[in-house]
């Protein structure tokens, strides 16, 4: 499972604060986070290119929608996420590899649960089909 | 789920004031935290938890208090008194309730032996007609009287023999009073007069 | 050093071994116990639970005598007597009306009243004073090696707070003494639990249960015997071990001290136990 | 007039006060008798083990006292300490105590000396003193029956927190001290040394319920097998969001048993702990692997000595005596007390007090000399320079990761494009920052990486140092020590990987510009209640004018209906005095029957449209304070409205005041708590109704002892010193009956006689009450206008309808925007005293913004490329702050324009723009994708 890659776009105001108490006790879970000023900054290009660059699963963690510091950052992010999920389904990568979470600034251990859920998701879904196609492409080039 | 009425308003004549004055305890301080019942050694054999008795007193439910065996099973070990967050000495309250129920002659039937034990203990300490022993507890006499009044000769019979054999049960009371003879009798006399 | 001594009814009745061993230990430590002349019974539980006047007058009478006999310090080995006399002294100093009223009554009956210059104390308090404790150490001839015990203070020795000379909930006085005498004092949580003593006749089954709990807990703590400083607790535990796993002897701490001092007439004391302690002591070569 | 301020105490209260005072320009001397700053928040246990970062690692361990803010993390708290250490105006004296004190307000002479030896004395001339001595924990070994100090597996909550954090990484479950076995059954015992007259602490310590709930949640999180039982009497989780944390704990399976524990017995063989207790009359027995005692609080050990030197009177419990309505000022002018020095206070109140103390000090000392602003260093243009990167390794950070320091230094030196590698014991202490500044100039560095650091918030420190060295502050990156467990030996490899990542990211960083924007030194205060008026008067004292907008015709708001409060009986005069002050002050312009319609602009210069009557008016102002207060819940239950004998708590108080309510002999008065609160509609506690009911019940019983007065409640929530009033009410004969939510009493009107049967929880007794008057303790609910106000000022309201502050009241993360503060009950139900305290604190913070001549705006903001913009208005619709507008300057066909001063930097427009015409600086697509690349390739 060690080569599985999970990338999370985390809103700096709510989710990033909780990520301090975030990592789960189980140190084998690998989880990478990229900080954004607000969940509303995430867009189709970032999410899709994250998969192209080899992420097996991607999540976006923003504030709870009724507590978002930028009023509608999280709701905008969720709409864009649903759109990207449709694209991922169409291209066969699977939209369920992309997950949206809402983490309030006052729920410390919630971030650790997110890490556990993502880890189980990746275990269930296995490596991303993109990676398999890329490997085949590389092997075919190398041959 | 017994239903209770609140008739006591803490006036001078009320039951709760009488008990509070006799035991010098502010029963109203209690916030029913149940700690006393948790630590009481006799809790398992008491009909009511001791904090419930305090609640009855606050409400003025005199009959429920006097009918309960809880006051009589309190051995005065002061565990509740030392640990009560509001500093209430429930032991003293139970003593006051014992005296109240004796005065009202309403000692619960099945706890009668405890009252009897107390009375015989004090009577034997005041001394016996012929054999004397004023001022000192005469075990043999007291236990004998207790056995007679409760007709329980047979239990502890073996134990009694064993203690006698080992010199733990002096046959005759100790007549210690010489110069101060009669003082104890006077004290008991005053006690009776004060009670009347 | 001369101390006033108030043995109490039990120490002339079923706890004569406590009386003899206390006198022996104090004598060995150079302290003479002068018995209070014509002392009277303190009334114990029956007294304080049925009559407020007797609860004060009976213990106070002893203080009046002690004062008349100029006994500055009064030693009371029995925890119940110590508790009630110390309480009478405490309420006198606090000026409670019951104490004032009893003092006046005693003035008419006895000719003199109590004015508060007697210090009420317990053997444990005296023996664990710094210098006396060292003296105890030097007196120990035969350390109680291998004797595993738990210390049982009972409820009246440390409660309520104004009578206590030690930690109310986790007293250590007896532990220090017995360790000084070489015994292996085990850790347990029942030091100040109540033995239910005053109900031993009217509600025997309750007392039997409590005794069973205590004795089983003592064995679980790895002890072969329980050491007490109160004749009510000692007689209750000694006589009510009806349904315990294994009967164990109930010592007085003064008996064990006496044995460790190599006192010859220890056997006299040990005769007066229902659960015979002699086999245990001989197996440890202490007799 | 001396302008220096002496702050006594290095805990969170002292740190916050020091930062606010230094921020306002007053030089601060901060003394603490501890070897480290941080007070209770740093873990005393590993203080002596100095190997790791001085305040990094430990701090996140004992965020115990941040009970309510369950997320509070080391970064947030640690940054308090690093910002104080590096603030030029704050002089820190650790291990120091006060030995002598003379003089009066404005001219004090304080002599301090080494705490241990009493030597090395120094004299400090100061104008004011802020006493933040904090508190100490009750010595639970005094309760021998609970076994602390005698049984190994009995510990205090602070010790359990350390155990929690250690077991979080190393073990799969919480290892108990005696034999290291898994502690699967944990029992918490509340109120140890609190609400207890025997240990001379009849007050409630107020913070224990919260840190127990928090620890129960964290225990369940770190070791799911653990099952936690809490023995309590009244759970007092009455702060904002506190009840959610309590329900969260209960949902995770924590059993709450309502009984106090008499003793704990240990089984000598298994060292398990047995507890015998009575639960609602039933005798029960439980065996536990671990027992945690929630120790109450006591005055700080040195408070007695310091208070004597400062000649401050102490109350009967040994805390500083303060007036609840003005809890910051003590009996001596110029000396203020904050935090635990005055009694049980949770962190939110402590921080409010610290800000209020800073404001009060400023009022006493007058204008500060004004800091000599750092002379701006001209910024070097690096656009044409070759890449020269400097790496500054921090030994403490590396030690926290267990990395081999020299191996990491060697590996980093080999990295290709690194020109300078430095190694410091602690990168964030002033000396290292000095060196970094010099090396930027001497070595011509144009990219800086400081690695690794435990404190997420230290990045701004290194950015300031870079700026002082002439390098644009955005060209700095600082990887954070991951909090995950490091398998043994991987520390070095992870540290190098982290540094490589930072170097890869910092290459893509570009310099950004800030520019000065004017600040309008005037505040807008929305809401004329107690909080609004207190803020206005506090600002006026500091010389800042304000406009007070009140929607009704009178000032005073909700508090007008109150006649007294448990904290101070003269509420009426206080409100009238405030109204007089506001009306009389020339600095406060009051607009009644006025409403705020719209507001735009940014911190320092807002433009708000206010409708007064039918005219509208545009007001320019620098900060906004929202004090819209709260409303009373109109109950529908308990026959309210149908029967005149059922009234609300405030109505009862009113009638008590004007004599209509007279307690008659034998009449029955029933107070019903939690009407409208703590149900599925309003899940929060309205915090003030218990105090109100106790006040009225006590008043009734005092009037006429023959009246029967009952208070029916699930918990009696009278935290802190209010507990003394609760006891007074019990002593007066008020009967408090606890009911379980399951058998909630119902009020019935049978043939004209109101009747209500309630089962008293403890004694299981049923009481049939015939109330002659039923008083409902109704909830405080958010004002309906709160949503409208939130939309106008573009902030949020939480699910209960109250205004949401920045993620927590520590709110140290300042992002462009801000300048909007919330004060009083608009933030959440509060008592009058708490409203006024928070208002004064908010006034202090607002004044700091208004006091700035200019504000540097810009940096991480959005920018439009006019050529790509088709003026399709998507960004105008998307921006929550309506900042973009279409102009023709750059492009005659019109293009969007985003003013760099107003932009809040959230980047929503950049992501929504169909043609990618808008970019958010520092988060350009290629920069973010570069970060995605590095996290995916560098395996840590």
């Amino acid at each position: 499972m060690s080569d599985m890659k999970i990338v999370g776009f985390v809103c700096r105001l709510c989710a990033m604060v909780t990520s301090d108490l975030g990592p789960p006790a189980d140190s084998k879970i690998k989880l990478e986070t990229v900080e954004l000023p607000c969940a509303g900054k995430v867009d189709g290009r970032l999410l899709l290119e994250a998969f192209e660059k080899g992420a097996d699963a991607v999540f976006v963690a923003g504030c709870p929608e009724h507590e978002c510091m930028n009023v509608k950052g999280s709701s905008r992010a969720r709409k864009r996420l649903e759109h990207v999920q449709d694209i991922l389904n169409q291209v066969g990568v699977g939209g369920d590899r992309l997950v949206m979470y809402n983490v309030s600034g006052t729920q410390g251990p919630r971030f650790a649960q997110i890490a556990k859920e993502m880890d189980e998701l990746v275990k269930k879904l296995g490596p991303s089909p993109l990676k398999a196609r890329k490997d085949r492409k590389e092997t075919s080039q190398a041959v | 789920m017994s239903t209770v009425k609140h008739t006591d308003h803490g006036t001078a004549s009320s039951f709760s004031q009488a008990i509070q004055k006799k035991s010098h305890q502010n029963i109203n301080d209690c916030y029913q935290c149940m700690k006393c019942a948790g630590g009481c050694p006799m809790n398992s054999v008491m009909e009511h938890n001791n904090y419930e008795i305090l609640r009855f007193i606050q409400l003025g439910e005199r009959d429920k208090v006097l009918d309960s065996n809880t006051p009589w099973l309190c051995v005065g070990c002061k565990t509740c008194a030392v640990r009560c967050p509001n500093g209430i000495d429930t032991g003293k309250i139970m003593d006051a309730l014992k005296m109240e129920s004796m005065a009202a002659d309403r000692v619960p039937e099945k706890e009668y032996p405890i009252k009897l034990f107390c009375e015989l203990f004090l009577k034997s300490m005041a001394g016996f007609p012929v054999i004397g022993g004023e001022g000192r507890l005469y075990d043999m006499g007291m236990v004998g009287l207790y056995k007679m009044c409760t007709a329980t000769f047979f239990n502890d019979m073996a134990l009694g023999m064993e203690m006698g054999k080992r010199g733990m049960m002096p046959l005759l009371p100790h007549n210690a009073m010489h110069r101060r003879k009669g003082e104890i009798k006077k004290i008991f006399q005053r006690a009776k007069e004060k009670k009347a | 050093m001369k101390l006033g001594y108030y043995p109490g009814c039990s120490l002339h009745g079923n706890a004569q071994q406590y009386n003899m061993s206390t006198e022996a230990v104090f004598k060995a430590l150079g302290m003479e116990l002068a018995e209070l002349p014509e002392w009277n019974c303190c009334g114990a539980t029956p007294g304080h639970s049925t009559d407020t006047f007797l609860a004060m007058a009976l213990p106070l009478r002893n203080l009046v005598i002690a004062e008349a006999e100029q006994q500055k310090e009064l030693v009371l080995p029995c925890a119940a007597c110590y508790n009630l006399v110390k309480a009478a002294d405490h309420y006198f100093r606090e000026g409670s009306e019951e104490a004032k009223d009893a003092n006046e009554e005693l003035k008419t009956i006895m000719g003199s009243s109590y004015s508060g210059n007697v210090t009420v104390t317990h053997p444990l308090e005296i023996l664990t004073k710094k210098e006396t404790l060292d003296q105890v150490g030097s007196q120990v001839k035969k350390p109680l090696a291998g004797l595993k015990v738990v210390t049982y203070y009972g409820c009246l020795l440390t409660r309520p707070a104004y009578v206590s000379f030690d930690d109310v909930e986790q007293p250590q006085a007896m532990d220090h003494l017995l360790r000084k005498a070489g015994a292996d004092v085990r850790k347990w949580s029942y030091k100040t639990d109540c033995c239910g003593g005053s109900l031993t006749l009217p509600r025997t089954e309750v007392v039997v249960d409590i005794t069973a709990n205590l004795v089983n807990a003592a064995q679980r703590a790895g002890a072969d015997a329980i050491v007490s400083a109160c004749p009510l607790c000692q007689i209750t535990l000694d006589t009510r071990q009806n349904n315990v796993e294994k009967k164990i002897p109930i010592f007085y701490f003064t008996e064990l001290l006496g044995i460790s001092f190599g006192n010859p007439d220890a056997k006299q004391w040990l005769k007066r136990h229902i659960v015979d302690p002699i086999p245990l002591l001989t197996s440890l070569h202490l007799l | 007039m001396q302008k220096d301020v002496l702050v006594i105490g290095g805990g969170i209260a002292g740190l916050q006060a020091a930062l606010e005072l230094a921020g306002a320009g007053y030089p601060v001397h901060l003394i603490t008798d501890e070897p480290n700053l941080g007070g209770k928040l740093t873990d005393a246990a590993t203080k002596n083990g100095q190997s790791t970062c001085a305040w990094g690692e430990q701090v996140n361990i004992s965020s115990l006292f941040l009970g309510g803010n369950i997320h509070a993390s080391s970064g947030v708290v640690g940054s308090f300490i690093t910002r104080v250490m590096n603030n030029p105006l704050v002089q820190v004296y650790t291990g120091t105590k006060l030995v002598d004190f003379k003089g009066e307000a404005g001219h004090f002479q304080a002599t301090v000396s080494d705490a241990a030896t009493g030597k090395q004395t120094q004299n400090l001339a100061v104008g004011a003193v802020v006493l933040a001595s904090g508190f100490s924990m009750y010595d639970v070994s005094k309760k021998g029956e609970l076994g602390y100090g005698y049984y190994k597996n009995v510990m205090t909550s602070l010790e359990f927190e350390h155990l929690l954090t250690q077991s979080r990484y190393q073990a799969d479950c919480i290892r108990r001290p005696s034999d290291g076995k898994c502690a699967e059954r944990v029992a918490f015992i509340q109120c140890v040394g609190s609400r207890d007259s025997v240990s001379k602490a009849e007050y409630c310590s107020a913070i224990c319920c919260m840190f127990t709930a928090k620890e129960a949640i964290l225990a369940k999180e770190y070791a799911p097998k653990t099952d936690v039982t809490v023995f309590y009497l009244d759970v007092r989780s009455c702060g904002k969001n506190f009840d959610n944390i309590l329900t969260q704990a209960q949902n995770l399976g924590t059993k709450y048993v309502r009984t106090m524990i008499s003793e704990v017995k240990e089984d000598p063989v298994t060292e398990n702990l047995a507890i015998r207790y009575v639960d609602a009359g039933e005798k029960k027995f439980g065996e536990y692997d671990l027992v945690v005692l929630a120790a109450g609080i006591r005055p700080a050990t040195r408070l007695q000595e310091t208070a004597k030197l400062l000649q401050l009177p102490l109350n009967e419990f040994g805390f500083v005596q303060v007036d609840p309505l003005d809890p910051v000022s003590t009996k001596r002018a110029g000396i203020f007390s904050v935090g635990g020095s005055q009694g049980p206070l949770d962190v939110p109140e402590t921080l409010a007090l610290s800000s209020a103390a800073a404001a009060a000090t400023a009022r006493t000392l007058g204008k500060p000399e004004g800091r000599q602003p750092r002379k701006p260093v001209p910024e070097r243009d690096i656009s044409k320079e070759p890449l020269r990167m400097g790496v500054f390794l921090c030994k403490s950070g590396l030690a926290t990761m267990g990395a081999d320091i020299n191996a990491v230094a060697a590996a980093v030196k080999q990295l290709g494009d690194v020109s300078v590698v430095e190694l410091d014991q602690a990168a964030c202490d002033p000396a290292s920052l000095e060196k970094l500044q010099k090396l930027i100039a001497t070595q011509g560095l144009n990219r800086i990486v400081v690695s690794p650091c435990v404190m997420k918030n230290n990045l701004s420190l290194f950015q300031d140092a870079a700026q002082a060295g002439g390098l644009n502050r955005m060209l700095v990156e600082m990887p954070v020590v991951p909090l995950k467990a490091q398998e043994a030996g991987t520390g070095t490899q992870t540290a190098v990987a982290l540094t490589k990542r930072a170097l890869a990211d910092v290459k893509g960083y570009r310099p950004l510009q800030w520019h000065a924007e004017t600040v309008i030194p005037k505040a807008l205060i929305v809401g004329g209640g107690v909080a609004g008026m207190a803020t206005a008067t506090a600002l006026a004292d500091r010389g800042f004018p304000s406009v007070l907008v009140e929607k009704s015709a009178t000032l005073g708001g909700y508090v007008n209906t109150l006649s007294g409060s448990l904290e101070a009986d003269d509420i009426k005069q206080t409100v009238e005095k405030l109204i007089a002050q506001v009306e009389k002050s020339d600095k406060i312009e009051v607009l009644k029957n006025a409403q705020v319609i719209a507001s735009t602009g940014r911190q320092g210069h807002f433009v708000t449209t206010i409708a007064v009557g039918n005219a509208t008016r545009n007001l320019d102002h620098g900060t906004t304070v929202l004090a819209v207060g709260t409303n009373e819940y109109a109950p529908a239950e308990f026959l309210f409205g149908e029967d005149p004998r059922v009234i609300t708590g405030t109505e009862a108080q009113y009638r008590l005041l004007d004599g209509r309510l007279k307690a008659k002999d034998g009449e029955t008065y029933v107070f019903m708590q939690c009407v409208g609160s703590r149900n599925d509609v309003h899940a929060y506690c309205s915090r003030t109704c218990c105090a109100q009911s106790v006040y009225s019940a006590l008043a009734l019983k005092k009037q006429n002892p023959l009246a029967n007065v009952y208070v029916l409640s699930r918990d009696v929530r009278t935290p802190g010193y209010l507990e003394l009033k609760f006891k007074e009410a019990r002593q007066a004969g008020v009967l408090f009956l606890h009911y379980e939510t399951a058998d909630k009493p119902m009020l019935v009107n049978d043939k004209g006689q109101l009747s209500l049967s309630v089962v008293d929880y403890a004694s299981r007794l049923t009481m049939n009450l015939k109330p002659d008057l039923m008083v409902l303790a109704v909830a405080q609910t958010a004002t309906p206008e709160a949503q409208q106000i939130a939309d106008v000022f573009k902030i949020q309201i939480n699910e209960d309808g109250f205004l949401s502050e920045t993620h927590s009241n520590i709110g140290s993360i300042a992002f462009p925007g801000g300048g909007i503060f919330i004060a009083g009950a608009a933030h959440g139900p509060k008592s009058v005293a708490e409203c006024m305290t928070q208002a004064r604190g908010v006034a202090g913070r607002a004044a700091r913004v208004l006091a700035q001549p200019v504000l540097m705006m810009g940096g991480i903001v959005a920018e439009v490329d006019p050529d790509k913009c088709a003026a399709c208005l998507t960004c105008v619709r998307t921006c929550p702050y309506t900042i973009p507008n279409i102009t023709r300057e750059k492009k005659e066909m019109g293009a969007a324009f985003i003013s760099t001063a107003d932009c809040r930097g959230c980047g929503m427009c950049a992501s929504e723009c169909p043609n990618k015409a808008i970019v958010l600086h520092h988060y350009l697509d290629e920069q973010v994708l570069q970060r995605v690349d590095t996290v995916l390739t560098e395996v840590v």
Side-chain angles (χ1 to χ4, degrees), chain D residues 34 71 88 101 183 235 329 404 423 440 464 481 487 498 524 607 636 642 672 697 739 779 811 847 914 939:
Chain D
E34 301 269 350
H71 80 285
F101 189 81
V235 181
S329 22
D404 170 350
L423 200 54
I440 288 175
D464 296 346
V481 171
E487 284 94 9
L498 276 180
L524 165 71
V607 178
E642 296 156 39
M672 190 65 200
Y739 65 85
V939 174

Side-chain angles (χ1 to χ4, degrees), chain A residues 5 53, chain D residues 501 930-940:
Chain A
K5 296 262 174 47
K53 288 183 186 302
Chain D
R501 272 190 183 180
Q930 160 66 36
R931 280 174 215 143
V932 172
D933 244 343
T934 47
V935 293
L936 286 177
T937 48
E938 296 294 333
V939 174
V940 166

